[in-house]
Amino acid sequence: MSLNLMQSILNKIEEYNRIFIFRHIRMDGDCTGSTKGLKRILQLSYPQKEIYLIDEQRSDFLAFLGEDDAPVADELYAGALALVLDTGTSDRISNKKYRLCKEIVKIDHHIPVDDYGVINWVEENRSSTCEMIAYFYNTFKDRLKMDAQAATYLYTGMVTDSGRFRFREVDGDTMRLAGSLLDFGIDVDTLYANLYMQSFDSLKYKAYIYKNMKISENGVCYFYVSNATQKKLNISREEASAGISAIENIKDSLIWIAFIENDDKSIRVRLRSRFVTCSEIGEKYHGGGHACASGATVYSKKEMEALVADADARLKEYKETHGGWL
């Protein structure tokens, strides 16, 4: 099935002379790596085509991967192909000018909810969209070109979205594809330094998390970070959200949640779990994602408490009906 979809996507790419590539809001390593990686592959493979990646979002964490393209006139979108990567629903596409394009192709690894493309290639069991793009390249490498730069982009997304190859979606294909990217000569020392070196302020933020985290009756660990606290600790919204990883290894806590206040007073939710499927909780609170990694948004402390209560009930049910989870 995926071979037919990939062939259809390649046909679309070869049909259009102008292509725009899009990603999701709240950019992360996978949406950034997959879009930059695919753009580089297409530029190398079809130098005569116009390939644009335009996104006004900024990420300090991913700044080492380089800038995107400068904005262009709206007229250039007309008649172009839109390739939307790593974005489950159309409302989460960052650059809303995707609507101006003639046709849309969706390439994604989230639970399928919104088939907004004329072609929708979705593999929810893949560890990342970067893995899908690596697979796409390997399938058609007689017609496509790759270099170390493109491989670095894709490997970055594979590493970050798989939790350094620890999550359940990682399989033999994931590792073989990662290995094929490494063969292009990725500078892994520099890459991992950029991804995982921490500032002194980041370490102080972790201390804040450990001091202020809470745990529910059945083991849901969570913390809340207000705008004022983010400013006091001198951390960006992105760094605040990344704090979810600080509480991922607490014994008996199979669900952990970060609540991060936004400038508009809405609260970003990062919901993570081990063994327990929690995607329906994310969907209930204006979000969604994967079985064990979802995002959501709540709009009050009361709604935040309701989400924790739902997660606690889900964890209670799981512990009562499953054994052998440590």
Side-chain angles (χ1 to χ4, degrees):
M1 182 66 173
S2 61
L3 181 59
N4 292 335
L5 288 172
M6 288 191 294
Q7 184 63 64
S8 298
I9 291 170
L10 186 61
N11 292 342
K12 283 291 181 189
I13 288 170
E14 294 187 337
E15 176 185 341
Y16 282 82
N17 291 321
R18 184 178 299 124
I19 299 170
F20 286 84
I21 302 176
F22 301 85
R23 61 170 73 107
H24 63 67
I25 58 173
R26 296 173 180 167
M27 59 198 293
D28 60 13
D30 189 27
C31 78
T32 303
S34 61
T35 50
K36 284 183 173 292
L38 180 58
K39 180 191 174 186
R40 180 66 177 169
I41 290 169
L42 297 185
Q43 286 178 321
L44 292 169
S45 307
Y46 307 101
Q48 76 281 6
K49 294 183 184 292
E50 298 176 44
I51 314 292
Y52 295 98
L53 172 56
I54 298 169
D55 190 348
E56 295 184 2
Q57 298 182 92
R58 293 293 178 267
S59 166
D60 294 337
F61 171 58
L62 298 166
F64 72 95
L65 294 179
E67 296 288 329
D68 296 328
D69 296 319
V72 297
D74 287 1
E75 295 77 40
L76 289 179
Y77 288 87
L81 176 66
L83 301 175
V84 184
L85 275 60
D86 196 38
T87 310
T89 56
S90 58
D91 63 307
R92 298 195 75 241
I93 301 173
S94 175
N95 180 356
K96 301 305 180 185
K97 292 182 181 180
Y98 77 91
R99 301 186 185 101
L100 302 176
C101 294
K102 184 177 180 180
E103 290 187 296
I104 300 170
V105 170
K106 173 185 179 182
I107 303 173
D108 185 41
H109 75 127
H110 295 94
I111 296 170
V113 176
D114 180 4
D115 288 339
Y116 53 78
V118 293
I119 302 172
N120 299 280
W121 176 28
V122 179
E123 294 194 22
E124 62 182 285
N125 292 321
R126 290 281 184 182
S127 69
S128 64
T129 302
C130 281
E131 180 183 333
M132 295 174 67
I133 299 303
Y135 181 53
F136 183 78
Y137 164 77
N138 275 8
T139 302
F140 300 113
K141 60 184 177 182
D142 58 328
R143 296 160 69 179
L144 300 174
K145 296 181 180 179
M146 173 90 76
D147 64 3
Q149 182 179 353
T152 298
Y153 292 144
L154 297 179
Y155 192 77
T156 298
M158 290 183 73
V159 168
T160 55
D161 234 40
S162 69
R164 299 191 227 182
F165 304 107
R166 293 181 296 114
F167 296 160
R168 66 169 62 172
E169 291 82 7
V170 173
D171 58 16
D173 277 346
T174 306
M175 304 309 291
R176 282 184 284 272
L177 288 166
S180 72
L181 295 175
L182 288 171
D183 288 341
F184 282 92
I186 297 170
D187 180 356
V188 291
D189 286 342
T190 300
L191 174 60
Y192 278 96
N194 276 297
L195 288 176
Y196 300 115
M197 293 288 282
Q198 298 180 65
S199 68
F200 190 67
D201 285 336
S202 294
L203 292 173
K204 288 195 296 182
Y205 173 48
K206 278 191 176 181
Y208 169 85
I209 292 172
Y210 294 138
K211 185 177 180 179
N212 291 276
M213 64 184 181
K214 298 179 180 179
I215 195 157
S216 69
E217 180 181 355
N218 293 288
V220 176
C221 187
Y222 61 99
F223 64 89
Y224 167 76
V225 190
S226 67
N227 260 320
T229 298
Q230 293 170 58
K231 292 174 183 175
K232 180 180 178 181
L233 294 174
N234 194 33
I235 56 170
S236 66
R237 188 94 64 238
E238 189 174 28
E239 289 173 313
S241 298
I244 185 66
S245 62
I247 58 172
E248 66 181 355
N249 293 314
I250 299 174
K251 191 172 182 180
D252 293 340
S253 179
L254 304 183
I255 300 176
W256 54 102
I257 311 171
F259 295 99
I260 312 299
E261 187 180 28
N262 296 313
D263 287 333
D264 63 0
K265 301 302 180 182
S266 65
I267 301 170
R268 180 185 181 184
V269 182
R270 301 197 75 187
L271 176 64
R272 300 290 184 267
S273 62
R274 182 174 288 107
F275 309 127
V276 191
T277 297
C278 290
S279 53
E280 71 277 6
I281 297 175
E283 291 165 7
K284 179 178 178 180
Y285 292 91
H286 324 290
H290 304 288
C292 295
S294 296
T297 304
V298 295
Y299 296 93
S300 66
K301 291 285 186 68
K302 185 176 181 180
E303 197 174 12
M304 186 174 77
E305 291 166 0
L307 189 152
V308 171
D310 285 345
D312 187 71
R314 178 72 185 94
L315 186 51
K316 181 177 187 291
E317 175 193 23
Y318 183 86
K319 286 184 175 182
E320 288 175 347
T321 55
H322 294 75
W325 44 263
L326 296 179

